[in-house]
């Protein structure tokens, strides 16, 4: 009988010698499964449950790459437990960095992946021309629902593809959720009706666990086609739930994930924001672009893009959404670097202008003059 | 009109000079609220929404302590948004460590805090004698429901106060959730009936978001009095929901939190596992004890204990649950260090014995011979 395919996890370990790395890998394999020391569990669980050290190789001075594999069945069947297997207890140790996750078909088949993905987002926004998409966040927190709706209408009229809530907008008294949702969606509908455009509005649905379902229903009832979620504020499994059960595209925000990205301990940004956000069901993934006010390098961003777009079972590709300080003048260069299957999230660099909507309109025109992608979605 | 009390957040910033620290504090105050640069938002929001720099003082060479305060209303009304305000976007930067969170009455009043807390857990386990409590995890993953239930029965018979699932037990084929829950609770009931004891069983409820509610109902139906949750696998707000809506004590596990604990960036362990886990509603908080297989110092553990037990509005104190490699021989010393209002979580050091249940019984006897707390709960 051939063995079913296994979950393969690659870690970089900070260790002086190969033997230390082998020993640490063994400790990780035990910690993340039986959580018992050598000899304190029945032998048959060694094969069925304990992670298996597949390989060990040097990375550079004092760092080793180890591959640990797990049986999909023994490891758990849901996304919270998958996170736990990948990095739960070992997050509390040091010198362990998860740099690759390869999931077998049997695990991928249980995860929804993006319901819309890049082709679906192009369809929703009628952006079939293969050119990059543009997203603007409405802000700041403290504005009334009316003020935010007015911004929505102006950005939609300017031809922005996706107008989303700032991720800090929840249910503040200044702009209560239900009122904001209704007025913003109406403003976008009206602008679309006037312009013939297909802008979509994505309200921030990051909510208390017992309110999330009703807010999702409300979003659907008001005709929203997409929502914003911050998976690490409410649990990555919320993305999976929306992707599986609601006809709404999910744009995922990286709030609270930054602590994972330390170079010698944590989870590589491309694995967390690329692979994990995508398999959970994110149609678009926001990340802090290089050159902005967060310290991601261009190389990191490119690897995230690649994880979001490359082949992965039968899963649709997710849309990379670089943001966090993207200067509008530089967008043509970023398109050149990242390719046209990218949605640029602009905020501060528009709001700094005297007339943000006019600046948005100029940006839309600039992007429409760019060459389309080689193979439009 | 007097100003309402504000949320006060203390950060340590890694900066060379006072002016740099002041500049960074201002950037944090903007990033975590309006998410816009200086001058790109209406002036009246400065007072209503933007965080206010309250103080700045040196910590040590190259580190500065800053206090930033926020109006409770402008900042959001729910726990996910509170996390976002505290560390959402700035998690993606570097050299920022959240070291204290002071919440005003108006915010504390909206959070449940522990439903049971230390006094409630003492009541549930009939451990009124003021002595420390003992908790054992049943494991490993891979055991059948029958095997796990047998362990439950033996540890209950030995007089262990709380028998909990290992946090990696979810709904694996080897021991499906519903069967495990039923058989483990039955085994504990039978042992209690024979011994006259009051052991409680805490199943691991860390679940997909759309399954959590039914598993909670099932736990209640089978007579469980407590559950185990890993807040960072499913979102801290799940703890709040259980504390608010279910008659079940919550034991919180630190899986996936370790990346926050870097010394120069993140959230101090006592703030995350002490203050935040407690205000969310954790009745007991598991943390990796000093001297075990995780790198917490004794000082860190003592500060966590203090955050869990000290006065905090009208909130009940939470039970510290040091675990992660507590050696049974050393428990009397740890009781001396931490005080009797502590529940020691033992695992590996029992399972290494030839007869774990007999070792548990000896441990129970040892602990019962210790002096009770000065003021029993």
């Amino acid at each position: 009988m051939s063995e079913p395919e296994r979950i393969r996890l690659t870690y970089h370990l900070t260790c002086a010698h190969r033997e230390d790395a082998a020993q640490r890998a063994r400790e990780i394999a035990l910690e993340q499964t039986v959580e018992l020391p050598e000899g304190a569990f029945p032998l048959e669980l060694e094969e069925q449950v304990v992670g298996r050290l597949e390989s060990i190789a040097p990375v550079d001075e004092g760092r080793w790459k180890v591959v640990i594999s797990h049986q999909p069945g023994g490891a758990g069947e849901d996304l919270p437990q998958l996170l736990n297997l990948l990095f739960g207890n070992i997050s509390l140790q040091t010198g362990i960095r998860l740099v690759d996750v390869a999931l077998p078909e049997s695990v991928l088949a249980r995860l929804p992946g993006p319901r819309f993905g890049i082709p679906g987002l192009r369809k929703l926004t009628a952006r079939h021309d293969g050119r990059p998409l543009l997203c603007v966040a409405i802000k700041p927190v403290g504005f009334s629902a009316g003020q935010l709706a007015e911004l929505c209408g102006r950005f939609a009229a300017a031809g922005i593809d996706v107008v989303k809530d700032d991720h800090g907008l929840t249910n503040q008294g200044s702009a209560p959720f239900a009122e904001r949702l209704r007025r913003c969606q109406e403003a976008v509908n009206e602008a679309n009706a006037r312009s013939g455009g297909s802008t979509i509005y994505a309200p921030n649905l990051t909510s208390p666990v017992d309110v999330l379902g009703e807010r999702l229903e409300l979003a659907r009832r008001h005709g929203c086609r997409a929502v914003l979620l911050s998976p690490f504020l409410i649990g990555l499994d919320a993305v999976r739930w929306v992707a599986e059960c609601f006809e709404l595209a999910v744009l995922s925000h990286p709030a609270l994930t930054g602590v994972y990205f330390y170079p010698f301990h944590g989870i590589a940004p491309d694995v967390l924001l690329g692979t994990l956000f995508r398999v959970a069901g994110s149609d678009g993934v926001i990340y802090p672009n290089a050159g902005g006010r967060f310290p991601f390098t261009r190389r990191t961003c490119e690897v995230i893009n690649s994880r979001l777009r490359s082949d992965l079972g039968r899963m649709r590709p997710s849309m990379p959404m670089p943001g966090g300080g993207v200067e509008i003048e530089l967008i043509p260069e970023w398109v050149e670097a990242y390719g046209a299957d990218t949605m640029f999230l602009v905020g501060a660099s528009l709001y700094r202008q005297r007339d943000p909507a006019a600046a948005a309109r100029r940006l839309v025109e600039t992007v429409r003059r760019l060459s389309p992608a080689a193979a439009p979605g």
Side-chain angles (χ1 to χ4, degrees), chain A residues 297-312:
Chain A
T297 64
R298 175 162 157 181
R299 172 75 191 137
T300 297
C301 299
E302 286 168 342
V303 186
I304 294 172
N305 296 348
S306 162
R307 296 267 192 200
L308 290 173
R309 298 189 192 121
S310 59
D311 286 347
L312 185 66

Side-chain angles (χ1 to χ4, degrees), chain A residues 86-367:
Chain A
L86 267 47
F87 211 66
N89 264 12
I90 57 175
S91 78
L92 294 153
Q93 301 184 334
T94 57
I96 305 171
R97 190 170 196 239
L98 179 66
V99 298
D100 195 20
V101 171
L103 301 173
E105 274 301 330
S106 64
V107 172
L108 287 174
R110 284 198 303 261
L111 292 165
R115 181 187 279 257
F116 295 88
I118 292 177
L121 284 172
R122 285 200 175 278
K123 202 168 163 191
L124 286 179
T125 55
R127 182 79 25 245
H128 303 290
D129 58 8
R131 290 184 171 82
L133 283 78
L134 293 169
C135 177
V136 172
I138 54 163
K139 47 172 116 178
V141 173
F143 264 14
S144 69
Q147 288 174 299
L148 294 167
E150 195 184 322
L151 283 173
C152 277
R154 286 198 192 157
F155 287 129
I160 294 293
D161 301 292
V162 177
V163 180
K164 73 161 193 72
D165 281 350
D166 198 23
H167 83 290
L169 288 166
T170 54
N171 192 29
Q172 287 93 349
S174 45
F177 177 77
E179 185 194 352
R180 186 177 84 241
L181 174 73
R182 181 177 55 74
R183 295 183 69 163
C184 288
Q185 185 62 56
E186 273 172 16
V188 169
N189 289 349
E190 281 163 22
N192 283 340
R194 272 196 301 272
S195 68
S198 299
T199 298
I200 60 176
Y201 164 59
N204 177 28
L205 265 277
T206 308
S207 318
V209 62
D210 46 347
V211 174
L212 179 57
E214 63 197 61
R215 289 201 186 161
L216 284 161
E217 293 294 347
L218 202 64
R220 284 290 300 151
R221 243 188 353 264
H222 281 89
C224 294
R225 309 303 306 273
V227 298
L228 179 74
L229 292 176
S230 295
F232 272 65
L233 296 179
I234 55 166
L236 184 59
D237 194 62
V239 175
R240 193 268 319 156
W241 185 49
V242 176
E244 218 166 80
C245 302
F246 294 84
E247 190 74 29
L248 288 162
V250 180
L251 311 179
S252 288
H253 189 284
L256 218 56
T257 61
V259 287
Y260 290 89
F261 305 149
Y262 261 69
F264 296 106
H265 186 68
I267 303 179
D270 54 292
V271 172
L272 185 56
L273 302 178
T275 306
L276 296 177
F277 271 32
R278 178 178 173 194
V279 301
S282 307
D283 298 288
V285 173
I286 298 166
Y287 63 80
N289 195 27
R293 57 189 196 276
F294 301 98
F296 273 31
T297 64
R298 175 162 157 181
R299 172 75 191 137
T300 297
C301 299
E302 286 168 342
V303 186
I304 294 172
N305 296 348
S306 162
R307 296 267 192 200
L308 290 173
R309 298 189 192 121
S310 59
D311 286 347
L312 185 66
R314 277 153 303 185
M315 280 188 188
R316 294 192 180 86
S318 301
M319 184 72 88
M321 297 180 62
V326 175
E327 292 298 327
I328 48 183
E329 307 77 40
L330 298 178
I331 285 192
E333 288 176 41
W334 286 120
V335 174
E336 188 102 1
Y338 293 164
D341 273 339
T342 308
M343 189 189 308
F344 292 91
L345 168 58
V346 285
S349 64
L350 282 183
Y351 285 97
R352 269 202 315 260
Q353 315 289 320
R354 211 160 23 140
D355 184 343
R361 188 180 299 274
R362 290 193 298 276
L363 179 59
V364 167
E365 282 157 12
T366 303
V367 166

Side-chain angles (χ1 to χ4, degrees), chain A residues 29-38 40-42 45-46 49-51:
Chain A
L30 294 171
E31 184 69 49
Q32 297 300 92
T33 55
V34 289
E35 256 195 82
L36 283 171
E38 217 68 82
F41 53 90
L45 295 186
E46 179 71 43
V49 176
V50 177

